[in-house]
């Protein structure tokens, strides 16, 4: 248009009797702008008409260690395939051999999500990806994508220490473990969390993809596209080296992977200087548990039995002990420790041991009197709790004497309680536990408490099915969220009994002389914690005990994956629940609470201060905030391998998580290849014709857009 207008302008200037045509130009420009505006406004609308996004999904992502990559990924532009629903093993034949429209995107029933099926799909090019629906009820045979021997090679047993127990030679702890989480898949796998979205996919399949009369379905077909391209490849060694090169030479470095990291939470019964060092003569009893879990899918880690049951019991025991009036007189201090990243080869515990060895922690290993760890404790048979010890260190007479004393105190503490403590056979090794990382550094008397004598009772270890139902949490129908929060379940009563026994034993172990019958864990507190950590984080109690600027962490469905951004929700909540249960409300203003170093007599080096939201005022919508003083601290849970830059370490965890650009899933109708080719050819033909027409019109603009001469005009 501008070129034609320019030509007309030049012709008029040459005195040929032609005038410029602003009306033509205006009309064409207006039409062009209208088309562009319509395209801009309607683009998203057109996309919505073509695609149905799947919003409630969880991807399988890539993780890496010193030697391997595990997990899943899509191609850089996403993977697409025709949907085929697989609800029984016979349905796989269509995907693997008979179907005429590969590659296929499989909607897999959760009951078929197992190792044998997955390895069949892994070995074919006819599969472009998977969407897995959740099995309801949970698979009765159990489902654990973890290893049969969790964290093998990173515990205490090796060729140099108890070789007869190494690699689970004596006891296979997780017999239902398929190792599926530790396989590498070159196609995307997503979990469908919403049953309604699963039904939408099935309906699309029924409408378009079901074979008719023994022959393949006709186009258009229902297809799915999954995006989960991962940036890191091969191993942690490779991706961290690439990170290092990027950071050294690039102006805008692009990180391809990040170490799994977070923070451990710890506190002491008697306050200590967190920035100093405990007196070498002071003895400390460590009580420990893990607070993280894992499953095949990213950030899907309910961990009801594998993590929550133990750390909730631990928190309840800490509260019960702090209620005793003479704890400041105890001969030994007690440290309550909650380790992060234990699922991935003991990240949190190995870091604390490393810090103790390097004098970067208030305690040294020599300060540790004994070690008590709470492992999986919710699925007890006949109320029996098993006491596991290390047979190798007990060969030392001094350690044996202390372990025997520890076991006796625990057994005596259960008298009169609905918990029976029994000792595991002397020749059985420790189960996977944080205690093993401390034993690697030094012989320490210790015990690990579990609900299993040998193999795990938990048939859903490290899986998406380790849910409240797995630990038999049940609520009456019709309860409001507030009533559910306060309802005391049988599971809560059971765990409170375990917490009571542990608290009484710790009190005696620390030198307490009073009658322990007054030490009692509160089932109501346990109920609140179970509800908050397993069912709904965003509840009135959690809202009242956290800082105002942290209210965004309270999501609906709790997950306990360690991740790479820290602290994660679980860490924050364990920190503030522990502060609430063991701390003291102090009469400080908001300014004084937030800046205790400027306030006299706050002993900032001994205590932590937090200004929390408080409960809602009954007569208004505002909250009544207050200041809490506690001995709760955070310490880094990053594997020493990354501090030392030993990315190929076999001593410490080396797990990293790949970065990605986008994670999304959608379904749509796809036309046949023939129709796509015809559409492409016709489109190209129209484009060529348009270009030729434009060139012709442009070349003949002087003739096509000229103004006829006035017949009455006379030219001389």
């Amino acid at each position: 248009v501008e070129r034609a207008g320019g030509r007309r302008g030049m012709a008029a200037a040459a005195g040929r009797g032609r005038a410029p045509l602003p009306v033509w130009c205006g009309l064409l420009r207006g039409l062009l702008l209208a088309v562009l505006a319509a395209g801009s406004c309607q683009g998203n609308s057109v996309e919505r008409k073509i695609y149905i996004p799947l919003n409630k999904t969880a991807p399988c992502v890539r993780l890496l260690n010193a030697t391997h990559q595990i997990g899943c990924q899509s191609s850089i532009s996403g993977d697409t395939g025709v949907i085929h629903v697989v609800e029984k093993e016979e349905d796989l034949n269509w995907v693997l051999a008979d179907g005429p429209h590969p590659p296929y995107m499989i909607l897999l029933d959760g009951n078929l999500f197992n190792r044998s099926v997955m390895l069949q799909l892994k070995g074919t090019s006819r599969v472009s990806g998977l969407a897995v629906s959740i099995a309801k009820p949970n698979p009765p045979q159990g489902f654990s994508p973890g290893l049969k021997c969790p964290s093998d090679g990173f515990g205490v047993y090796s060729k140099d220490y108890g070789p007869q127990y190494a690699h689970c030679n004596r006891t296979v702890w997780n017999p239902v473990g398929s190792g599926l989480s530790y396989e590498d898949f070159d196609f995307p796998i997503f979990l469908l969390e919403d049953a309604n979205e699963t039904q939408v996919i099935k309906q699309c399949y029924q409408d378009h993809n079901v074979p008719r009369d023994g022959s393949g379905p006709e186009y258009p077909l229902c297809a799915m596209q999954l995006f989960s391209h991962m940036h890191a490849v091969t191993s942690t060694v490779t991706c961290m080296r690439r990170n290092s090169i990027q950071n050294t030479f690039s102006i805008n470095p692009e990180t391809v992977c990040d170490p799994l990291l977070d923070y451990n939470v710890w506190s002491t019964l008697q306050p200590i200087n967190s920035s100093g060092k405990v007196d070498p003569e002071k003895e400390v009893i460590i009580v420990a548990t893990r607070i993280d879990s894992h499953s095949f899918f990213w950030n899907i880690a309910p961990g009801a039995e594998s993590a929550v049951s133990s750390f909730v019991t631990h928190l309840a025991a800490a509260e019960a002990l702090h209620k005793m009036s003479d704890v400041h007189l105890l001969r030994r201090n007690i440290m309550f420790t909650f380790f992060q990243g234990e699922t991935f080869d003991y990240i949190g515990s190995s870091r604390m041991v490393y810090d103790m060895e390097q004098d970067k922690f208030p305690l040294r290993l020599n300060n540790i009197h004994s070690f008590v760890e709470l492992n999986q404790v919710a699925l007890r048979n006949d109320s029996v709790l098993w006491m596991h010890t290390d047979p190798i260190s007990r060969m030392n007479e001094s350690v044996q004497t202390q372990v025997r004393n520890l076991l006796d105190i625990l057994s005596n503490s259960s008298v009169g309680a609905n918990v029976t403590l029994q000792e595991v056979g002397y020749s059985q090794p420790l189960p996977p536990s944080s205690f093993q990382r401390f034993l690697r550094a030094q012989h320490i008397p210790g015990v690990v408490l579990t609900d299993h004598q040998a193999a795990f009772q938990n048939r859903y270890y490290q899986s998406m099915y380790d849910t409240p139902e797995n630990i038999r949490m049940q609520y009456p129908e019709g309860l409001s969220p507030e009533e559910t929060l306060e309802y005391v379940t049988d599971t809560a009563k059971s765990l409170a009994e375990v917490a009571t026994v542990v608290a009484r034993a710790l009190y005696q172990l620390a030198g307490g002389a009073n009658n322990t019958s007054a030490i009692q864990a509160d089932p109501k507190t346990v109920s609140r914690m179970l509800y908050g950590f397993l069912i709904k984080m965003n509840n009135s109690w959690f809202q009242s005990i956290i800082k105002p600027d942290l209210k965004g962490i309270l999501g609906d469905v709790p997950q306990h994956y360690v991740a790479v951004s820290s602290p994660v929700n679980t860490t924050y909540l364990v920190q503030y629940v522990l502060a609430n249960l063991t701390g003291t409300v102090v009469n400080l203003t908001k300014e004084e609470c937030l800046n205790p170093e400027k306030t006299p007599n706050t002993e900032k080096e001994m205590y932590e201060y937090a200004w929390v939201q408080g409960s809602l005022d009954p007569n208004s919508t505002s909250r009544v905030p207050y200041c809490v003083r506690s001995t709760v601290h955070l310490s880094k849970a990053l594997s020493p391998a990354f501090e030392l830059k030993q990315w190929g370490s076999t001593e410490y965890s080396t797990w990293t998580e790949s970065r990605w650009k986008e994670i999304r899933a959608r379904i749509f109708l796809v036309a046949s290849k023939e129709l796509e080719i015809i559409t492409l050819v016709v489109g190209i033909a129209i484009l060529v014709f348009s270009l030729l027409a434009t060139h012709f019109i442009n070349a003949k603009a002087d003739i096509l857009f000229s103004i006829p001469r006035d017949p009455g005009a006379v030219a001389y």
Side-chain angles (χ1 to χ4, degrees), residues 415-490:
V415 175
N418 190 25
V419 179
T420 304
L421 276 91
Q422 292 188 19
E423 186 178 347
V424 173
Y426 186 84
S427 61
Q428 183 169 294
L430 287 169
S433 53
S434 305
F435 181 39
Q436 292 199 32
R437 291 301 304 193
F438 285 80
L439 280 176
R440 280 178 77 127
Q442 184 170 302
H443 280 180
I444 298 170
V447 62
V448 177
L449 301 177
T450 74
D451 56 19
H452 55 89
Q453 180 180 8
F456 295 161
Q457 296 276 32
N458 186 6
R459 294 175 298 140
Y460 305 106
Y461 182 74
Q462 290 185 7
S463 89
M464 56 193 172
Y465 300 114
D466 192 6
T467 57
E469 292 77 19
N470 187 34
I471 58 171
R472 304 164 189 152
M473 280 179 62
Q474 295 179 337
Y475 295 93
E477 293 184 5
L479 295 184
S480 67
E482 201 62 29
E483 291 170 335
T484 309
L485 172 67
E486 301 294 338
Y487 183 81
V488 179
T489 62
D490 290 340

Side-chain angles (χ1 to χ4, degrees), residues 282-445:
K282 182 66 175 178
E283 292 183 324
V284 179
I285 302 160
I286 291 185
V287 194
T289 191
R290 66 177 60 190
I291 58 175
D292 69 296
S293 187
H294 179 44
S295 81
F296 186 87
F297 298 99
W298 183 76
N299 205 31
I300 300 295
E305 161 73 340
S306 61
V308 177
S309 68
S310 56
F311 74 69
V312 161
T313 304
H314 188 169
L315 288 164
E319 179 193 33
L321 272 170
H322 272 269
K323 288 179 179 178
M324 293 296 289
S325 59
D326 64 336
V327 292
H328 62 287
L329 302 175
L330 294 177
R331 191 166 70 254
R332 301 184 183 99
N333 204 348
I334 299 174
M335 186 170 90
F336 306 100
T337 314
F338 301 81
F339 291 121
Q340 261 288 15
E342 295 300 275
T343 302
F344 294 95
D345 300 336
Y346 309 118
I347 293 174
S349 55
S350 62
R351 179 53 187 262
M352 183 171 284
V353 171
Y354 173 81
D355 286 344
M356 287 180 177
E357 291 175 327
Q358 301 297 317
D359 278 345
K360 295 179 180 179
F361 195 80
L363 268 67
R364 300 175 180 86
L365 289 169
N366 289 332
N367 290 117
I368 301 174
H369 170 267
S370 52
F371 198 104
V372 177
E373 180 169 353
L374 285 161
N375 213 307
Q376 304 177 77
V377 294
L379 298 177
R380 305 196 314 278
N381 281 335
D382 301 323
S383 299
V384 175
L385 200 62
W386 294 94
M387 300 182 290
H388 300 258
T389 58
D390 172 41
I392 304 299
S393 60
R394 289 182 69 177
M395 294 178 183
N396 179 294
E397 188 175 343
S398 173
V399 172
Q400 163 63 9
T401 301
Q402 294 178 74
V403 169
R404 186 71 264 160
N405 180 56
L406 175 57
L407 296 174
D408 290 343
I409 289 175
L410 280 164
S411 297
N412 293 335
S413 298
S414 67
V415 175
N418 190 25
V419 179
T420 304
L421 276 91
Q422 292 188 19
E423 186 178 347
V424 173
Y426 186 84
S427 61
Q428 183 169 294
L430 287 169
S433 53
S434 305
F435 181 39
Q436 292 199 32
R437 291 301 304 193
F438 285 80
L439 280 176
R440 280 178 77 127
Q442 184 170 302
H443 280 180
I444 298 170

Side-chain angles (χ1 to χ4, degrees), residues 63-65 150-151 154-155 182 236 258-265 289-294 337-356 373 433-438 440 462 560-566 571 635-643 651-657:
L63 299 173
L64 310 99
N65 64 12
S151 299
F154 291 88
Y182 295 85
T236 290
D258 301 283
L260 296 180
L261 77 153
D262 204 79
Y263 288 87
N264 297 323
V265 182
T289 191
R290 66 177 60 190
I291 58 175
D292 69 296
S293 187
H294 179 44
T337 314
F338 301 81
F339 291 121
Q340 261 288 15
E342 295 300 275
T343 302
F344 294 95
D345 300 336
Y346 309 118
I347 293 174
S349 55
S350 62
R351 179 53 187 262
M352 183 171 284
V353 171
Y354 173 81
D355 286 344
M356 287 180 177
E373 180 169 353
S433 53
S434 305
F435 181 39
Q436 292 199 32
R437 291 301 304 193
F438 285 80
R440 280 178 77 127
Q462 290 185 7
H560 307 293
Y561 175 60
V562 58
V564 296
S565 58
S566 58
T571 303
S635 65
K636 190 177 288 186
L638 170 66
S639 172
F642 298 100
E643 293 280 320
E651 170 72 12
Y652 299 111
S653 171
T654 55
W655 286 106
T656 53
E657 181 185 273

Side-chain angles (χ1 to χ4, degrees), residues 122-175:
K122 184 179 179 180
T124 177
S125 60
R126 292 174 58 89
V127 174
S128 59
L130 260 76
V132 181
S133 63
I134 298 175
K136 291 188 186 254
N138 294 352
Q141 73 277 13
F143 174 76
S144 172
L147 298 171
K148 292 183 183 295
C149 189
S151 299
D152 185 24
F154 291 88
V156 69
Y157 303 111
S158 66
K159 61 183 177 62
D160 301 318
Y161 187 98
Q164 67 271 33
Y165 304 125
H167 312 301
C168 297
N169 285 337
R170 189 64 60 88
T171 307
V172 177
W173 297 106
N174 186 29

Side-chain angles (χ1 to χ4, degrees), residues 251-282:
I251 298 174
N252 297 307
E254 182 179 340
T255 301
V256 296
C257 69
D258 301 283
L260 296 180
L261 77 153
D262 204 79
Y263 288 87
N264 297 323
V265 182
W266 63 275
S267 74
T268 51
L269 194 60
Q270 301 164 353
I272 62 173
N273 187 339
S274 59
S275 59
K277 291 289 180 291
V278 172
D279 190 296
E281 302 302 316
K282 182 66 175 178

